[in-house]
Amino acid sequence: MAPTQRIRKAILPVAGLGTRFLPATKAMPKEMLTIVDRPIIQHVVDEARAAGIEHFIFVTGRNKTVIEDHFDKQVELETTLSERGKLEELNMLNDLLPKAGQTSYTRQQSPKGLGHAVWCARDLVGNEPFALLLPDVLVQAPDKGCMAQMMDIYNKTGGNILAVEEVEPDQTSNYGVVDVLKNECGTMKINGMVEKPAPRTAPSNLIIMGRYILQPEIFDILATQTEGAGNEIQITDAMKTLMNDQEFYACPYEGRSFDCGSKIGFLAANVAFALSRDDIGPAFRDALRKLI
Ligand code: G1P
């Protein structure tokens, strides 16, 4: 069924401590680590904006104020760029800047899990469907970004959409895993999900990748959601309850994902994104060849 409400807002949970990247993340948020020349969080905001998102809700924590600064004007810098005639850089900064009033920030006061982080944004989202993008995951898509591909499905089906991808069976216990049913019309309906299943108990090898479109009824469920896997409040558990009343569809998106929360994924993302750039790709390829 075609949806009645368009997706205008996105939640970006950025409260995590980033302990896997110490000492780099001692004073700097992990979301500000760069993939080539832009912070991870900028890549994710760009993906959301390309999908039509107009308002970005950051669920932050202590030591994350630099994210707020990043999405604000930097008057001194802009004046200097302008005086020096560096118009290309100036225009780039202006293009990337969200418009006034398009960002909101709230704090997750204690690390109680992803479900709790999403719930912290309930008043900022209000009673409308929203996108949720986990900044640990970056997607390199050939044509349309991952969230834009999800919007295409949402515009036909409405309901809730989860980006999914296949992993090796021995990896499923690190993720939320879904069970899907393929319909004749090509849509993939989700009929089960579980967060971090014990080894060899997963319903499939299709994981929840880190991009969601959700209906606002999830917030009422999250309000009373008890702790699940890892003793944290899990969004997957709340979605499972919502599945009793609403449809969930899987989006097996086109593209390649990188887990930038791990060192290997982060480094691989840097290599992949650098190689795909017209300006530095060829020179970087030569430099890489000399290294390996
Ligand atoms: C979270 C979600 C999980 C999802 C994963 C994707 O887990 O809870 O369902 O599969 O992100 O990266 P986390 O990585 O925070 O443990």
Side-chain angles (χ1 to χ4, degrees):
M1 209 172 53
T4 48
Q5 267 184 304
R6 144 181 113 77
I7 315 289
R8 302 186 310 124
K9 298 181 182 177
I11 300 179
L12 301 116
V14 292
L17 289 177
T19 48
R20 282 191 279 178
F21 281 91
L22 283 170
T25 49
K26 187 178 170 196
M28 183 177 67
K30 62 175 173 168
E31 297 80 9
M32 291 300 291
L33 295 173
T34 51
I35 302 296
V36 190
D37 50 12
R38 61 181 64 193
I40 291 174
I41 192 67
Q42 179 76 62
H43 285 276
V44 181
V45 163
D46 292 348
E47 179 192 330
R49 192 192 279 120
I53 296 295
E54 294 165 0
H55 195 109
F56 306 90
I57 300 168
F58 298 85
V59 182
T60 73
R62 289 174 286 280
N63 290 330
K64 299 281 181 167
T65 44
V66 66
I67 295 178
E68 209 165 327
D69 293 338
H70 179 76
F71 290 104
D72 192 7
K73 278 182 94 63
Q74 232 281 32
V75 179
E76 212 178 316
L77 172 66
E78 287 158 29
T79 311
T80 309
L81 288 175
S82 165
E83 280 167 6
R84 294 188 184 166
K86 298 205 173 242
L87 295 184
E88 205 179 306
E89 288 84 351
L90 193 60
N91 290 339
M92 187 248 297
L93 290 184
N94 278 331
D95 287 348
L96 293 178
L97 189 70
K99 294 199 175 54
Q102 285 190 328
T103 49
S104 298
Y105 299 86
T106 188
R107 279 198 181 189
Q108 184 184 23
Q109 294 167 337
S110 39
K112 292 185 180 167
L114 177 59
H116 178 256
V118 171
W119 181 74
C120 289
R122 66 199 178 283
D123 283 348
L124 293 169
V125 172
N127 190 26
E128 57 182 284
F130 60 96
L132 167 63
L133 298 97
L134 308 190
D136 271 353
V137 185
L138 281 193
V139 181
Q140 195 177 39
D143 178 21
K144 263 187 181 186
C146 179
M147 184 50 72
Q149 296 177 45
M150 294 169 71
M151 291 287 190
D152 287 346
I153 296 183
Y154 175 77
N155 289 333
K156 288 185 205 129
T157 61
N160 301 269
I161 318 285
L162 307 182
V164 299
E165 72 178 48
E166 281 184 30
V167 298
E168 293 300 324
D170 65 352
Q171 292 298 310
T172 48
S173 52
N174 298 321
Y175 299 96
V177 181
V178 297
D179 195 15
V180 297
L181 206 77
K182 270 193 188 140
N183 296 350
E184 310 82 61
C185 49
T187 54
M188 286 168 81
K189 216 179 136 210
I190 296 175
N191 59 9
M193 60 179 84
V194 53
E195 181 67 18
K196 309 216 166 69
R200 290 181 297 280
T201 65
S204 77
N205 62 343
L206 273 184
I207 62 144
I208 301 172
M209 181 278 276
R211 300 288 185 270
Y212 311 68
I213 290 175
L214 294 170
Q215 296 295 322
E217 287 75 18
I218 196 82
F219 292 122
D220 281 345
I221 300 170
L222 284 170
T224 56
Q225 182 64 53
T226 49
E227 291 164 353
N231 291 326
E232 293 189 339
I233 297 174
Q234 297 290 353
I235 190 83
T236 307
D237 294 339
M239 294 193 299
K240 207 171 158 186
T241 305
L242 188 56
M243 247 176 44
N244 294 329
D245 299 321
Q246 295 188 9
E247 307 286 15
F248 275 74
Y249 299 94
C251 172
Y253 67 97
E254 265 181 56
R256 187 187 290 153
S257 74
F258 297 93
D259 173 12
C260 294
S262 79
K263 289 189 183 94
I264 301 298
F266 171 76
L267 293 170
N270 261 300
V271 173
F273 279 74
L275 286 175
S276 72
R277 287 258 298 248
D278 291 339
D279 54 349
I280 58 166
F284 181 57
R285 190 176 303 272
D286 287 346
L288 258 188
R289 279 211 189 96
K290 288 183 191 137
L291 279 176
I292 51 179

